Amino acid sequence: MKEFPGFQDCPCSGKNLSRLLQPAVMALLVQGPLHGYRILELLKEEAMFKAQPPDQTGVYKILKNMVLDGHVSCNWETQDSGPARKLYTLTETGLSCLDQWKKTLVDYHSSVASIITLLNRKLEPSR
């Protein structure tokens, strides 16, 4: 199939999956508390961000919104040297939200598989 220029930043490229950023962050936090910078590092290792790293500002905005929604708590961690850093922890409410995300993503997975089946189906010639 011929590739057309200009699709690198198109939603059809799948490089911008911003709606999946929240469940990805929550999936990391379910393993334990993390600093924002570490969340960014771990996200970069995930397959969905191999082509394009996650937007740093977007990650911190999602963290802030999850704190406001009560899904994540945040505490300042001070060390003997260096600046204080925020430590993010998934709350019980966040854990319930993540459980709902899992159900939603399983449904999406099924829907995406159905779309792929449609795309792979050979069209019969018109009669």
Side-chain angles (χ1 to χ4, degrees), residues 65-119:
N65 288 337
M66 287 192 298
V67 168
L68 292 173
D69 292 340
H71 297 140
V72 171
S73 66
C74 136
N75 296 305
W76 285 99
E77 184 179 71
T78 57
Q79 300 174 353
D80 293 337
S81 63
R85 301 183 301 171
K86 287 184 181 180
L87 188 65
Y88 297 93
T89 306
L90 196 63
T91 64
E92 287 298 318
T93 303
L95 193 56
S96 295
C97 180
L98 183 58
D99 186 52
Q100 182 59 49
W101 262 114
K102 182 179 176 184
K103 292 172 187 170
T104 299
L105 291 172
V106 167
D107 288 344
Y108 282 173
H109 184 268
S110 176
S111 297
V112 169
S114 177
I115 292 169
I116 291 170
T117 299
L118 285 172
L119 291 171

Side-chain angles (χ1 to χ4, degrees), residues 20-71:
L20 298 180
L21 192 52
Q22 181 177 347
V25 168
M26 294 174 96
L28 294 173
L29 288 174
V30 78
Q31 300 170 39
L34 294 168
H35 296 104
Y37 182 79
R38 183 68 181 140
I39 292 170
L40 285 164
E41 286 180 332
L42 292 170
L43 285 173
K44 288 176 188 176
E45 296 173 9
E46 294 299 319
M48 69 186 253
F49 296 109
K50 288 293 184 188
Q52 180 178 347
D55 174 53
Q56 181 175 344
T57 304
V59 170
Y60 282 105
K61 181 179 178 182
I62 283 175
L63 285 166
K64 179 181 177 183
N65 288 337
M66 287 192 298
V67 168
L68 292 173
D69 292 340
H71 297 140

